[in-house]
Amino acid sequence: MTIGIYNILTTLWFILMLGSGGILTYMTWDKIVSSDIIFIAKIFVVLVYILTLGTIIFLLIKLRLLFVTKDKLTSLYLFRLKKTTIFKDEITTSKWATWEIKAHKFVSLTITDKSKNQVSLSDFEFENFDSIASSILGDNYLDKSITHYKEQSKQNSSVTNFIAILTGIFSIFIIVKSAIDKDINYTNCLIFLGAFVTFLATIKRINTYRQIEKHGI
């Protein structure tokens, strides 16, 4: 059985958004209520509140579990109480596509069965997107999707390389600073962990993009 694993970078981004918004809300709520800050600052803070609330609502709507067994695909949205099951031998179409967020391209796959049940997934959502696609469609899934992967590789390579260099340098900086200051605290450990995990995830993507560019796989 293949289980959908959430995209590492997407997950870290949501954690950063919610963490920053939550901390700012905690620090400014009393001041907003008591009118201790200027009007322009209030507008900015309220916008952050709205963005944080919107992120929470988005997660509640989109959060799901995905399972692929020998004979079927099951998609379960936890907070919408929506379950969709598609049997592999009833699949009629598999549609590949690409889409972008701020010039970063993602690959998506939409599966439809005889009863018009439909499940969509992408590598924005799942770290093991390729394994899921292979489990559903077989090892020849690349025959139809390779064009989209090449487009993704071409567009994302520069940004991914930049992120890898930046997070690698930042991880080293945190280690050196903690060693010099002789201060290994909870905050520094969390920052280092986030930066290092991001570095590893981007290195994985860089290797994947290079394989696609060189060998078409």
Side-chain angles (χ1 to χ4, degrees):
M1 181 173 69
T2 302
I3 300 174
I5 300 172
Y6 292 114
N7 185 306
I8 294 172
L9 297 181
T10 302
T11 301
L12 288 174
W13 184 80
F14 276 115
I15 291 174
L16 179 62
M17 287 284 292
L18 291 175
S20 301
I23 291 171
L24 184 62
T25 300
Y26 176 77
M27 293 176 62
T28 60
W29 182 256
D30 291 341
K31 294 179 180 180
I32 284 287
V33 174
S34 60
S35 300
D36 287 340
I37 58 177
I38 61 175
F39 180 72
I40 295 177
K42 281 186 178 182
I43 293 176
F44 172 77
V45 173
V46 170
L47 285 175
V48 173
Y49 292 170
I50 294 172
L51 286 173
T52 303
L53 180 60
T55 302
I56 293 173
I57 294 173
F58 176 84
L59 288 175
L60 292 178
I61 293 173
K62 294 295 185 180
L63 190 64
R64 66 168 165 171
L65 300 177
L66 190 75
F67 305 96
V68 183
T69 61
K70 184 178 180 180
D71 60 345
K72 65 182 178 180
L73 161 68
T74 301
S75 172
L76 175 62
Y77 286 93
L78 298 177
F79 294 97
R80 290 162 56 185
L81 301 179
K82 178 183 177 183
K83 179 181 178 182
T84 304
T85 300
I86 292 180
F87 290 91
K88 293 181 181 179
D89 59 2
E90 295 183 359
I91 293 175
T92 56
T93 61
S94 56
K95 183 179 179 181
W96 293 88
T98 55
W99 53 282
E100 299 180 14
I101 296 180
K102 294 184 178 179
H104 196 83
K105 192 178 289 290
F106 298 95
V107 177
S108 66
L109 170 65
T110 302
I111 301 293
T112 307
D113 68 5
K114 296 177 181 178
S115 302
K116 304 301 180 183
N117 294 315
Q118 196 171 82
V119 172
S120 296
L121 54 145
S122 74
D123 54 2
F124 171 80
E125 184 178 7
F126 296 110
E127 184 72 23
N128 59 336
F129 174 75
D130 295 341
S131 296
I132 296 171
S134 178
S135 298
I136 299 170
L137 304 176
D139 294 335
N140 63 343
Y141 74 96
L142 279 173
D143 294 346
K144 293 183 178 179
S145 63
I146 190 62
T147 301
H148 300 290
Y149 277 103
K150 286 181 177 179
E151 290 178 6
Q152 181 190 53
S153 172
K154 183 178 180 180
Q155 181 161 322
N156 293 357
S157 291
S158 297
V159 175
T160 306
N161 288 333
F162 174 75
I163 294 174
I165 294 171
L166 186 65
T167 53
I169 292 174
F170 191 66
S171 298
I172 295 172
F173 171 77
I174 293 294
I175 294 174
V176 172
K177 185 177 184 301
S178 297
I180 293 175
D181 296 343
K182 296 181 180 179
D183 180 23
I184 302 177
N185 55 56
Y186 181 73
T187 302
N188 285 346
C189 287
L190 282 179
I191 294 174
F192 170 76
L193 181 61
F196 188 65
V197 169
T198 302
F199 172 74
L200 293 179
T202 51
I203 289 297
K204 175 187 173 185
R205 283 161 175 74
I206 289 171
N207 290 332
T208 300
Y209 295 155
R210 286 178 178 174
Q211 286 183 348
I212 292 171
E213 290 171 358
K214 291 181 179 180
H215 309 293
I217 58 174

